[in-house]
Amino acid sequence: CVHPDDQEQLRRDVVYLDIEKKLQLKVNALQAMYAKMIRVFSYVFRFLDITRGNKCRHLGVPTAKEMNWTFLKFVEFIQKREYADELKKLSKSQVLPNNLQRLNPFVHQFKDEHRSFSLIRVSGRLQNAPIAYDAKFPLLMTKNSHFVSLYLRHLHFNNCHAGAKALVALLRDKIRLINAAKLRRLFPLL
């Protein structure tokens, strides 16, 4: 259920994903709904792994692990584009702007098999809670990202059209948006 005005905006939005410095893929945002986009890029990353000489253990439908890797790759790409200055400051242990400093961000170096990621995560009072790592230290994302918009719509539809407060709770299991409480204003179709 996409409003006709939003369809025009989505047609104009184009997401560029820089897989390697030499290869850029262009994705039309309207046709790339979240689940389909993650699945398709899982195949693309699997193909790139095979061309690099890495053994592929699974040749069928992408596994949950592969789709999670794809999700993390998208997040890493967006963070490098949106938070480039903050990444440099974090690596040099310099002071960040106040709105980010209070979230206590850190760079998480993640390696799994032949993949590695550098992701900005935030910590807080859930540090000692007996919950999943992603919920304790959610990924920092910008609310202006089209990927976040697709992910929110995915959460909204897959959780029985959850409202704004429920969406914020679901979103914070993986992602931390600055001013996420203002979702209703950001995404009026929810």
Side-chain angles (χ1 to χ4, degrees):
C1 298
V2 179
H3 193 271
D5 295 336
D6 291 332
Q7 280 184 339
E8 279 187 36
Q9 179 63 31
L10 287 174
R11 280 190 194 119
R12 283 184 257 134
D13 288 344
V14 174
V15 179
Y16 288 96
L17 177 64
D18 188 14
I19 295 173
E20 291 179 0
K21 291 185 174 137
K22 298 175 185 172
L23 176 65
Q24 265 195 358
L25 294 176
K26 191 165 85 168
V27 180
N28 186 340
L30 175 65
Q31 296 173 5
M33 296 315 271
Y34 175 79
K36 183 178 180 181
M37 183 173 65
I38 293 294
R39 191 174 56 252
V40 167
F41 277 98
S42 294
Y43 283 118
V44 170
F45 290 132
R46 183 188 291 171
F47 173 76
L48 290 173
D49 286 342
I50 292 170
T51 60
R52 290 180 188 139
N54 297 325
K55 291 183 180 178
C56 184
R57 296 179 186 162
H58 184 75
L59 295 175
V61 177
T63 63
K65 194 173 195 177
E66 287 176 311
M67 290 196 277
N68 187 45
W69 286 335
T70 303
F71 173 83
L72 293 175
K73 197 59 161 171
F74 269 99
V75 170
E76 181 183 40
F77 171 74
I78 292 167
Q79 284 182 344
K80 283 182 179 178
R81 190 183 68 210
E82 297 292 329
Y83 294 112
D85 296 335
E86 287 80 1
L87 269 168
K88 288 177 188 173
K89 288 181 180 180
L90 280 171
S91 65
K92 295 178 183 177
S93 300
Q94 294 177 346
V95 178
L96 296 171
N98 284 341
N99 62 340
L100 293 177
Q101 188 68 36
R102 64 182 174 83
L103 296 174
N104 197 16
F106 64 96
V107 177
H108 176 223
Q109 300 292 332
F110 174 73
K111 279 193 167 196
D112 190 14
E113 293 181 18
H114 51 274
R115 292 181 170 89
S116 63
F117 305 98
S118 294
L119 303 165
I120 302 175
R121 294 186 177 268
V122 296
S123 63
R125 57 191 174 94
L126 296 175
Q127 212 163 317
N128 298 321
I131 56 178
Y133 186 83
D134 285 340
K136 281 184 198 179
F137 306 106
L139 299 159
L140 183 64
M141 292 288 288
T142 176
K143 63 186 175 200
N144 302 327
S145 168
H146 187 70
F147 178 75
V148 170
S149 169
L150 288 175
Y151 184 63
L152 277 170
R153 288 180 194 275
H154 170 76
L155 288 177
H156 175 69
F157 290 120
N158 284 357
N159 291 286
C160 303
H161 298 278
K165 288 183 181 180
L167 266 180
V168 170
L170 290 167
L171 183 68
R172 287 189 178 160
D173 280 344
K174 270 192 163 181
I175 294 175
R176 175 64 191 246
L177 290 181
I178 299 171
N179 295 330
K182 298 176 184 175
L183 280 179
R184 173 66 83 184
R185 197 171 39 162
L186 290 172
F187 304 101
L189 295 177
L190 300 179

